[in-house]
Amino acid sequence: LKGCSVVGVNWGEFTRRFPHKSRANVEAMLTAYEKSELHPYISKEFPLTECADALLALTSRSASGKVLVNVSQEL
């Protein structure tokens, strides 16, 4: 991994110190989502009845992207 960098943020501290900036970030993200501008990689999808399997996928680190629990399949 030569020549790479990892940048992170302590989200809890950021929201405590800068609540207005944090809210603006969330609103911008929701707006982008509503406009279909966000395309997260979903590696696994589970119906609500398999929620335990979804959690196992997260805790075992077998998911390479987002894990989606789809509640609409249950309605």
Side-chain angles (χ1 to χ4, degrees):
L1 294 176
K2 295 179 182 179
C4 78
S5 64
V6 177
V7 179
V9 64
N10 182 337
W11 194 256
E13 183 63 21
F14 179 81
T15 58
R16 280 188 289 282
R17 291 180 65 190
F18 307 104
H20 297 294
K21 289 181 180 181
S22 178
R23 183 174 187 87
N25 286 340
V26 171
E27 288 175 359
M29 182 181 63
L30 291 174
T31 298
Y33 175 76
E34 289 170 352
K35 293 179 178 180
S36 297
E37 296 174 345
L38 299 178
H39 306 284
Y41 173 67
I42 299 170
S43 62
K44 296 188 179 198
E45 184 174 350
F46 298 88
L48 185 58
T49 56
E50 297 176 19
C51 186
D53 293 333
L55 290 172
L56 183 61
L58 289 172
T59 58
S60 68
R61 303 182 69 135
S62 66
S64 60
K66 302 296 181 190
V67 173
L68 177 70
V69 176
N70 192 337
V71 296
S72 64
Q73 293 176 352
E74 305 302 317
L75 300 177

